[in-house]
Amino acid sequence: MKSRPSIVKELMLFLALASSATAYISVVTGANGFVGRHVVHSLLRQDPKQNDGQVIVCLVRSDKVPYEESYWNAHLMDMDQSSKDNLCVKVMPYDMLDDGVTLKNALEFGMEKDSSCPICVYHIASVFGPTPDPIQTAKDNVKSAEDAVRILDRCYQRHPSSKLRLVLTSSMAAVRATDQTPLNGKFYTHHDWNTLSKLNGDNWGSCYQWSKAESERAALELVKECNERYAKEDGKSDNREIEMVALNPSFVFGPPPPMPSKMKEEMAAGSSSYSLTLINQWLHGKSPVQSRLCADVRDVAMAHVAAGRMEKLPKDDADRRYILSTEKRLSSEATAEALIRGVKQAQKVNGGEMDVDFSKITCDTQFTGGAIKIGDQEVEASDRLQRDLGVVCRSVEETMQDMAEAMLSGEAF
């Protein structure tokens, strides 16, 4: 459960966002995923006044639309905002391979509601994991990022007075490849780029890493081309600009998204995540606990909202890129101890034994950290996150304990 520092930092971010309250149109691709759903929850403020004028479009695969509509309707009822005319949460179908058509439809829906407020596309959707053709999957990931920029460009052509921003969910995979040496020889920063991962049909992981780096590069290049064209076309008479922020989370762990009170029995039908599967395997001895450089999904979600609503972005494009991560790896043994504390807390709260045999939990003690050893600083991130986005990453211990407790208690947050 939340520690005092976590509560304080969430309150600080809430107050920061509340102090500049305005209407927003937010379009979230992959809104039913682990990160996407948390982002939508972070967009929805608990204070009804902070939701005035909000339009949130949740883009999901067409077969997921009915369930997601039920989910958000039930959640808004829990928030006592289901009948509020000044808040719109709309679920729409999304296909990342349709040349941007479904994204365009979502933007048009939002602008029909209010074309004068800022618009932010949170492009989170991406294919992760083995596929029959990992090279094509990687190329599809890149194309979906390019399509997001192209659709925003078309939006500007129809609505030149709009304020458009793209928050691209990238990855640490775009910062470095496996065993890649940092530019400064010590730790990775937002200036590092993955230069080693290649397309390899026999290695889906390498394909995925390549796709994250290439997606970010391609989107940034298109944004620059669009903005240069606007400057030539508009001169000094207008301020058209597609603003882009790239967020690079490390491995994302954390509690599952909350289930509405009326849907508690449908937990299995909610969003899924490889990290949830991995923790389940660790707790039940199906694979050894690993040392991972990681970020808490709640911090990742808060960073997305903050990036989407920053009033003034850094001047240099290179500084509009943020690593979202704790700065050091926790050992596999310490990670296992945090998970066990979470299990024990769940047992205490629920007044019974959990289906977890501690003797079966093992740790991977062979892995030493790769290019940077476990326990040494691996990334530089915390100062920029706190200064620019108001986000302070939770400790790995807190994340793992909260995650185990929430998963075994059937709760979230």
Side-chain angles (χ1 to χ4, degrees):
M1 294 295 100
K2 295 179 184 176
S3 66
R4 181 174 294 275
S6 297
I7 294 172
V8 170
K9 71 181 179 183
E10 289 186 14
L11 178 60
M12 289 174 63
L13 179 60
F14 171 80
L15 292 175
L17 293 174
S19 65
S20 58
T22 186
Y24 285 91
I25 297 173
S26 303
V27 178
V28 184
T29 70
N32 64 317
F34 188 48
V35 172
R37 187 171 284 177
H38 272 279
V39 168
V40 178
H41 277 284
S42 291
L43 287 166
L44 284 169
R45 309 315 309 168
Q46 294 301 315
D47 181 351
K49 294 181 180 179
Q50 299 307 318
N51 288 320
D52 286 354
Q54 275 222 75
V55 177
I56 303 173
V57 183
C58 302
L59 290 180
V60 303
R61 292 193 302 272
S62 58
D63 61 320
K64 301 294 184 181
V65 169
Y67 177 83
E68 292 302 309
E69 287 178 334
S70 298
Y71 176 93
W72 289 111
N73 288 337
H75 181 71
L76 291 174
M77 289 182 65
D78 284 351
M79 294 179 66
D80 195 27
Q81 297 202 54
S82 59
S83 61
K84 300 294 190 297
D85 293 331
N86 57 348
L87 168 63
C88 175
V89 179
K90 176 72 171 178
V91 180
M92 297 181 68
Y94 175 66
D95 182 350
M96 61 183 282
L97 301 180
D98 65 359
D99 296 323
V101 172
T102 44
L103 178 57
K104 176 180 70 69
N105 294 341
L107 286 169
E108 289 179 349
F109 172 84
M111 299 191 80
E112 286 176 1
K113 293 287 183 179
D114 188 347
S115 62
S116 64
C117 61
I119 301 168
C120 183
V121 172
Y122 299 90
H123 184 51
I124 302 169
S126 179
V127 178
F128 172 81
T131 63
D133 188 346
I135 291 178
Q136 186 58 51
T137 299
K139 292 179 178 179
D140 291 343
N141 282 342
V142 176
K143 186 177 184 302
S144 72
E146 294 174 326
D147 285 343
V149 179
R150 293 189 179 102
I151 293 303
L152 287 174
D153 181 31
R154 294 178 196 172
C155 186
Y156 253 149
Q157 293 174 20
R158 294 189 58 188
H159 306 278
S161 62
S162 301
K163 182 175 176 60
L164 304 178
R165 182 174 296 180
L166 171 65
V167 174
L168 179 69
T169 308
S170 186
S171 169
M172 268 299 294
V175 175
R176 54 94 174 98
T178 304
D179 292 332
Q180 181 172 324
T181 303
L183 286 174
N184 61 20
K186 299 177 181 178
F187 46 75
Y188 304 104
T189 75
H190 64 289
H191 294 297
D192 281 276
W193 281 87
N194 180 342
T195 58
L196 301 181
S197 295
K198 307 295 182 183
L199 291 174
N200 180 349
D202 296 323
N203 188 336
W204 74 264
S206 181
C207 291
Y208 173 77
Q209 291 182 340
W210 175 89
S211 78
K212 300 309 288 186
E214 190 60 26
S215 293
E216 195 179 334
R217 288 193 187 97
L220 181 59
E221 187 61 33
L222 280 177
V223 165
K224 288 180 179 179
E225 291 176 8
C226 290
N227 291 339
E228 289 173 0
R229 173 161 40 85
Y230 302 150
K232 291 179 180 178
E233 293 173 353
D234 303 337
K236 296 182 179 180
S237 63
D238 207 335
N239 293 315
R240 279 194 301 169
E241 178 188 4
I242 297 177
E243 298 176 330
M244 174 176 155
V245 180
L247 300 179
N248 301 76
S250 54
F251 203 95
V252 181
F253 287 96
M259 290 297 292
S261 56
K262 290 189 175 182
M263 301 179 72
K264 290 289 187 181
E265 300 303 318
E266 299 183 48
M267 179 68 78
S271 77
S272 60
S273 164
Y274 177 63
S275 67
L276 296 174
T277 300
L278 194 59
I279 293 296
N280 186 63
Q281 291 176 350
W282 292 353
L283 289 175
H284 293 89
K286 295 180 180 179
S287 64
V289 178
Q290 301 168 331
S291 173
R292 295 263 185 165
L293 186 69
C294 63
D296 190 295
V297 68
R298 296 164 291 185
D299 299 329
V300 172
M302 287 193 292
H304 276 74
V305 177
R309 298 188 177 180
M310 291 172 67
E311 291 189 9
K312 188 175 182 179
L313 295 180
K315 184 177 181 180
D316 193 330
D317 287 338
D319 292 329
R320 298 180 178 185
R321 188 181 196 229
Y322 296 89
I323 294 175
L324 300 179
S325 182
T326 53
E327 295 191 332
K328 300 178 181 180
R329 291 176 186 258
L330 191 66
S331 70
S332 59
E333 296 94 333
T335 300
E337 290 172 2
L339 291 171
I340 290 171
R341 287 195 297 272
V343 174
K344 290 181 177 178
Q345 182 62 24
Q347 291 174 337
K348 181 179 178 181
V349 171
N350 292 280
E353 293 296 319
M354 298 289 106
D355 183 25
V356 176
D357 183 349
F358 295 152
S359 68
K360 292 183 178 181
I361 298 177
T362 61
C363 298
D364 176 3
T365 57
Q366 300 301 311
F367 177 67
T368 60
I372 299 174
K373 301 305 179 185
I374 294 172
D376 291 346
Q377 182 177 357
E378 189 163 345
V379 299
E380 180 183 68
S382 59
D383 289 347
R384 297 183 70 243
L385 286 176
Q386 185 170 8
R387 182 192 69 214
D388 294 357
L389 302 182
V391 173
V392 179
C393 288
R394 291 166 170 81
S395 68
V396 181
E397 292 94 336
E398 181 181 349
T399 297
M400 294 299 174
Q401 180 172 337
D402 286 358
M403 191 173 185
E405 181 181 350
M407 289 174 64
L408 292 173
S409 301
E411 300 175 356
F413 289 175

